[in-house]
């Protein structure tokens, strides 16, 4: 049960909270400007303590990060399982939950299946792992790996059917490639896709998502931004070995990070402040299995951003601005 200690802490933080909220497109979902991405709970980036990961979820919810995004792909079901353990101790009305279909994994091998049958099975499997009987938002995950015609004719109609039955609240699609999101939306009935999730395209080194906001708004589609640190590019730690960014971009971001450090302003702070600064973007996802890190980043967005430093960082990154990479 949601213990008395958590109730007391939640009451205090509700009084002190200055988290900003907006509505995600026409879904009616009221989402915080900064939301909790649960990929880290699956040990996607490094090994995690399950107990610490659950505390990270509690910390996020207590401080207003009431929208949680996960996927069966993260940690090959581990993220959903760990998150489900935390959600059993939270009142269902205290959070909005998003998960995905289409991208999976088992025994260390990545798998993709966008068929109607697997899509339907996946939704119920996720509900079981998450200990819920209703998912607020269900996304087709990384559609660039799919036959887009199958997404249009099979995956999305299956999710719409589940939406009509009341098992899921809303339907969305996710991808690194913005053009794919638009291509699908242009070819399905209006209202089929209610939100999009795009990552690494509204950050200090790449703000290309801004070019598509007029289109999404015209369609009434909510926008979820993810990876404000560009998967580690915008961090003092630097990128992991598997990062797909080209070497010139990695080096440019390293120089930008060093400059921020010399100014006593961690690049992580500037990066997350920038990513949440656009009011046309419903929410930005940030992931950590460390409760202290969750709290630190919430505190970052409560402080005013240094726009002069943003300009300097963009100058340092220079011709590597908007340089992207292929999804992996």
């Amino acid at each position: 049960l949601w213990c008395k200690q958590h109730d007391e802490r939640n009451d205090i933080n509700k009084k002190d909270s200055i988290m900003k909220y907006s509505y995600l497109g026409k879904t009616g979902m009221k989402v915080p400007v900064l939301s909790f991405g649960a990929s880290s709970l699956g040990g996607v980036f490094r090994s995690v303590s399950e107990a610490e990961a659950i505390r990270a979820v509690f910390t996020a919810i207590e401080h207003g990060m009431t929208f949680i995004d996960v996927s069966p792909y993260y940690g090959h079901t581990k993220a959903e399982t760990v998150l489900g353990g935390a959600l059993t101790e939270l009142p269902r009305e205290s959070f909005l939950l998003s998960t995905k279909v289409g991208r999976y994994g088992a025994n260390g091998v990545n798998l993709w299946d966008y068929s109607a049958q697997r899509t339907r099975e996946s939704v119920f499997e996720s509900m079981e792992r998450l200990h819920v009987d209703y998912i607020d938002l269900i996304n087709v995950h990384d559609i660039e790996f799919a036959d887009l015609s199958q997404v249009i004719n099979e995956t999305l109609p299956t999710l719409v059917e589940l939406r009509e039955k009341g098992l899921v609240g809303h339907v969305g699609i996710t991808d690194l490639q913005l053009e794919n999101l638009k291509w699908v939306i242009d070819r399905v009935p209006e209202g089929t896709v209610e939100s999009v999730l795009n990552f690494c395209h509204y950050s200090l080194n790449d703000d290309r998502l801004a070019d598509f906001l007029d289109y999404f708004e015209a369609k009434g589609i909510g926008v979820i931004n993810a990876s404000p640190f560009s998967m580690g590019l915008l961090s003092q730690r630097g990128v992991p070995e598997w990062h797909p960014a080209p070497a010139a971009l990695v080096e440019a971001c390293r120089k930008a990070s060093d400059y921020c450090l010399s100014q006593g302003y961690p690049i992580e702070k500037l990066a997350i402040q920038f990513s949440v600064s656009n009011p046309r973007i419903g929410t930005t996802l940030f992931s950590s299995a460390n409760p202290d890190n969750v709290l630190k980043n919430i505190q970052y967005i409560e402080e005013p951003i240094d726009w002069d430093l943003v300009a300097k960082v963009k100058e340092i990154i220079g011709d590597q601005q908007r340089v992207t990479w292929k999804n992996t």
Side-chain angles (χ1 to χ4, degrees), residues 73-187:
Y73 171 67
Y74 301 147
H76 295 175
T77 73
K78 181 180 178 182
E80 284 193 333
T81 301
V82 173
L83 177 60
L87 297 185
T88 59
E89 299 194 42
L90 287 165
R92 183 61 182 90
E93 65 274 12
S94 68
F95 60 88
L96 296 168
L97 181 62
S98 166
T99 192
K100 306 179 182 75
V101 299
R103 190 169 188 180
Y104 311 99
N107 302 316
V109 177
N110 293 336
L111 305 168
W112 294 266
D113 189 339
Y114 296 86
S115 67
Q117 180 178 341
R118 186 69 191 100
T119 294
R120 192 174 292 105
E121 292 171 349
S122 181
V123 171
F124 287 100
E125 289 168 4
S126 289
M127 285 181 178
E128 185 174 353
R129 284 189 291 266
L130 293 164
H131 303 292
V132 297
D133 56 10
Y134 174 82
I135 295 172
D136 298 280
L137 173 64
I138 190 80
N139 290 295
V140 187
H141 197 177
D142 286 348
I143 60 174
E144 68 187 271
F145 291 103
D147 174 346
L148 295 183
S149 295
Q150 184 181 34
V151 171
I152 289 169
N153 297 313
E154 199 169 341
T155 322
L156 284 171
T158 301
L159 295 180
V160 168
E161 179 186 337
L162 293 175
R163 183 175 67 190
E164 291 172 348
K165 291 180 177 179
L167 293 168
V168 301
H170 306 283
V171 174
I173 52 178
T174 90
D175 206 343
L176 175 66
Q177 309 298 332
L178 285 153
E179 293 81 2
N180 286 343
L181 299 173
K182 183 177 183 299
W183 194 92
V184 168
I185 292 165
D186 283 341
R187 289 163 176 79

Side-chain angles (χ1 to χ4, degrees), residues 279-313:
R280 300 174 71 188
I281 294 173
T283 188
T284 291
L285 296 173
F286 153 75
S287 184
S288 177
N290 182 324
D292 293 335
N293 202 29
V294 171
L295 185 57
K296 178 176 67 176
N297 281 277
I298 292 171
Q299 292 169 341
Y300 280 162
I301 68 165
E302 293 176 348
E303 298 178 26
I305 187 171
D306 185 340
W307 287 107
D308 290 336
L309 185 57
V310 169
K312 181 62 179 179
V313 163

Side-chain angles (χ1 to χ4, degrees), residues 110 259 315 321:
N110 293 336
Y259 180 79
E315 178 186 332
Q321 281 282 341

